[in-house]
Amino acid sequence: MSVRASTASFLRPRDSVYPGGTLPRSTQQQHAFDFAAQLHNSISLMEDCTDHIATVNEQLADGGKDLPRLARVLKNTRMHAMANEQTIHAYKTQMAEEMDPQISELRQRGLAELDTLKKRRDNLRRKADLRTSTTTTANAAGTEKAEAKAKAEAKRMTQIATLNAKLAAEIRDLEEEERQLEEQLTALQRQ
């Protein structure tokens, strides 16, 4: 059996992997040993990394669970990293001195306005009470007045009717008297 040229090139190692041809046997064993040691070191380093990552994850989970409490603590705790207590107290005093007159003035204005509103409320309540009492009194007095007015009107109508009747009687008497005077006049003219 003859080996073709293409098959012969296939059996030899590639140039890119072994540029100098095949490695001597002692070098191959040394590299094989170094590769195993390096592989062992890589594996142990990877285990250390995963252990460290697991620890970090546990700490992060503990910190995440405690985050709302820590946020409240940090919000309520004074941070004195940049200034001491004396400096903070001095600035507070200075701000209080600057703002105190304005705050007092605003407070006085607010109290004065509150008094004005209370007086206005009391006046409105009095007016409402007067209206309700006047309405009930007016209704009671109004019905009495209406009855008195109706009686007065009825009395006046009766008086007018009586006066009308008297005037009608006088008119009839005057017409009768006029008729009699005309008769007398015509009788006198005939004579």
Side-chain angles (χ1 to χ4, degrees), residues 114-137:
L114 185 63
D115 290 340
T116 305
L117 289 174
K118 284 181 180 178
K119 288 177 184 177
R120 185 175 178 199
R121 181 194 63 198
D122 292 341
N123 286 337
L124 289 173
R125 280 187 181 166
R126 270 190 245 118
K127 284 181 182 179
D129 291 343
L130 283 175
R131 284 192 179 168
T132 55
S133 65
T134 304
T135 306
T136 55
T137 316

Side-chain angles (χ1 to χ4, degrees), residues 96-119:
E97 289 173 359
E98 290 175 0
M99 295 173 66
D100 196 32
Q102 296 170 354
I103 291 171
S104 297
E105 182 183 349
L106 288 173
R107 184 176 176 272
Q108 289 173 354
R109 283 183 186 176
L111 290 174
E113 188 65 28
L114 185 63
D115 290 340
T116 305
L117 289 174
K118 284 181 180 178
K119 288 177 184 177

Side-chain angles (χ1 to χ4, degrees), residues 147-160:
E147 289 174 7
K149 209 175 202 183
K151 286 180 183 179
E153 187 70 27
K155 187 176 180 181
R156 198 175 96 193
M157 292 299 280
T158 308
Q159 289 174 349
I160 290 173

Side-chain angles (χ1 to χ4, degrees), residues 122-186:
D122 292 341
N123 286 337
L124 289 173
R125 280 187 181 166
R126 270 190 245 118
K127 284 181 182 179
D129 291 343
L130 283 175
R131 284 192 179 168
T132 55
S133 65
T134 304
T135 306
T136 55
T137 316
N139 288 342
T143 55
E144 292 173 8
K145 285 181 181 179
E147 289 174 7
K149 209 175 202 183
K151 286 180 183 179
E153 187 70 27
K155 187 176 180 181
R156 198 175 96 193
M157 292 299 280
T158 308
Q159 289 174 349
I160 290 173
T162 308
L163 185 63
N164 195 11
K166 285 181 184 178
L167 288 174
E170 279 184 36
I171 289 174
R172 275 183 265 132
D173 291 339
L174 285 174
E175 285 177 350
E176 185 62 35
E177 190 179 331
E178 181 187 11
R179 190 179 53 79
Q180 288 173 359
L181 286 173
E182 281 181 2
E183 285 177 5
Q184 287 175 1
L185 184 63
T186 51

